[in-house]
Amino acid sequence: MRSLISLLIAATALSSCQSVLEQTYKPDVKPSSTPQIVDQVQKNDPRAQMGAREHPRIVASYGGEYHDAKTERLVARIAGALTAVSENPTQSFRITILNSPAINAFALPGGYLYVTRGLLALANDASEVAAVLSHEMGHVTANHGIERQKREEAEVIASRVVAEVLSSDLAGKQALARGKLRLAAFSRQQELQADVIGVRMLGEAGYDPYSAARFLDSMAAYARYSAVDPDNDQSLDFLSSHPNAPQRVELARQHARAFGQEGTFGDRGRDYYLTGIDGLLYGDSPEEGYVRNETFLHAGLGIRFDVPEGFRIDNKAEAVLATGPDETAIRFDGVKAETEQSLTNYLTSGWVAGLLPETVRETKVNGLQAATARASAERWDFDVTVIRQDKQIFRFLTAVPKGNQSLETTANILRNTFRSMTPQEIAQLKPLRVRVVTVAPGDNLTTMSARMMGTDRKVDLFRLINALPSGAALSPGQRVKIISE
């Protein structure tokens, strides 16, 4: 399955702090005494300008900044408490909440810190977010980004689908991928240094120092929940670049013990944290469309379609991806139709490698002009369907292992369900949000999870976002998170 995912995905995962865990660490690590900070970026130092140069690219690649006064005040409160205990009194940070459902946080030289709204939605208290931010602050105060840039090598991430199936111009996406790679690969020792600095900052700021290990476990649970192949998929968000080896979690707990036994020291800040994220946008943003179980809807484009039962949709910035049984995968995207050329001519214009010309034919998809064809590459067979709506061409690419008989069935479901949305449907479509609710007498796991929207795995997701272990019971008066409109 992983080979098929890599076939259809065009370089989307940010590798912010890649490393492999070492078995030892140095507890006496200190931050640099001369950190590169926002106010000290020098005109003549290209290394120090890296943060300022990359900032707009990062913001653009993650869907822009997420603006909500309440949530921004919450993150500022957490960061302010951490900054106050820094060993570098001149250190300053610029923190940006990214409008992305991904679970990620990272830092750039110059004090630029980033946290996604997806990570804020997963966290259950202020100390967990503080654990992530303090780790990234540790990279900045130790000047890891500057050290990393000295040994940086140029690399290009290219999707195998570009090489094997599509030959369209993806220079912009490849440039973005190269930009992301420039942020990658902190060394093993640097990761462990940031861990040590982060846990120290947590305790000295008055937060629960064990929250670092606790939130690593929550992120690992989210990775398992989201992965197509939970045991093998390592392409997910924060943990793809911040390894969650058991040894590393234990090292975080070991260093936290300097402040006392677990549960005896520090504030978790749960109540004010939940208040701060109540109403937080969850999942896909309106600009990128919505996933509702096995349906994709986009109010801005006015289109919708279904994937077959048992498929899982992943709404990426550059494409909608879906994966299903028997190594079947789907990619959906759109391009502007700059000319009135026929769709059969568009299919044969050279952007599809391995196209079988004799299979090209015109058709209609729910009243819209369309064309279909088959293609073949290595061990995969493809159905390619293009549909014109106004000045937009929408493209479905369905891939199955050679000889798999499900290709036509899967492609037909996509074609039969693709249609324009009605004005009423568009008006009724609303984004999902994190809602903080109070457990009432008589409520239990079943009744509370039934209020979840946007997923057919209601109980699993409810447990996940509330970090509820197996067998945990709810109590009247307890505040919990649900996902609803």
Side-chain angles (χ1 to χ4, degrees), residues 14-17 36-38 41 47-59 91-94 96 105-114 136-137 139-141 143-146 148-149 152 179-184 186:
L14 175 71
S15 298
S16 50
C17 296
Q36 299 289 343
I37 66 173
V38 175
V41 174
R47 294 177 303 168
Q49 292 176 354
M50 177 183 175
R53 183 178 66 249
E54 296 287 353
H55 174 75
R57 303 179 192 179
I58 290 297
V59 171
Q91 180 70 65
S92 62
F93 295 95
R94 174 176 177 175
T96 301
F106 46 94
L108 293 181
Y112 291 80
L113 298 183
Y114 304 86
E136 299 304 334
M137 287 177 172
H139 282 308
V140 173
T141 58
N143 277 342
H144 288 164
I146 299 300
R148 173 187 57 197
Q149 192 182 23
E152 186 176 288
K180 291 178 179 179
L181 273 178
R182 285 197 292 272
L183 309 175
F186 280 126

Side-chain angles (χ1 to χ4, degrees), residues 29-37 86-91 137-144 146-147 193 197:
V29 174
K30 301 295 184 184
S32 168
S33 60
T34 57
Q36 299 289 343
I37 66 173
S86 171
E87 294 182 16
N88 301 295
T90 60
Q91 180 70 65
M137 287 177 172
H139 282 308
V140 173
T141 58
N143 277 342
H144 288 164
I146 299 300
E147 296 174 17
Q193 287 175 8
I197 294 170

Side-chain angles (χ1 to χ4, degrees), residues 12-42:
T12 59
L14 175 71
S15 298
S16 50
C17 296
Q18 292 177 337
S19 69
V20 177
L21 178 71
E22 288 188 342
Q23 298 299 315
T24 61
Y25 74 110
K26 297 180 180 179
D28 58 347
V29 174
K30 301 295 184 184
S32 168
S33 60
T34 57
Q36 299 289 343
I37 66 173
V38 175
D39 294 335
Q40 294 177 347
V41 174
Q42 300 297 316

Side-chain angles (χ1 to χ4, degrees), residues 270 274 278 433-455 457-466 468 472-485:
R270 178 172 170 81
L274 291 179
D278 189 18
R433 298 186 181 275
V434 175
R435 303 295 185 186
V436 178
V437 298
T438 301
V439 177
D443 277 333
N444 54 39
L445 184 68
T446 301
T447 61
M448 296 303 295
S449 60
R451 300 169 63 178
M452 300 277 288
M453 299 178 62
T455 178
R457 301 162 66 190
K458 295 177 184 288
V459 174
D460 291 342
L461 185 57
F462 179 78
R463 284 186 181 277
L464 177 67
I465 63 173
N466 288 289
L468 295 174
L474 301 179
S475 304
Q478 181 180 353
R479 301 177 76 195
V480 294
K481 296 180 288 184
I482 64 171
I483 306 301
S484 64
E485 292 180 346

Side-chain angles (χ1 to χ4, degrees), residues 166 173 318-320 331-335 351 392-397:
L166 304 181
K173 292 177 183 176
E318 81 287 355
V320 178
R331 178 189 172 102
F332 170 81
D333 64 10
V335 295
W351 65 277
Q392 193 88 3
I393 294 178
F394 295 106
R395 310 186 296 189
F396 284 105
L397 180 67

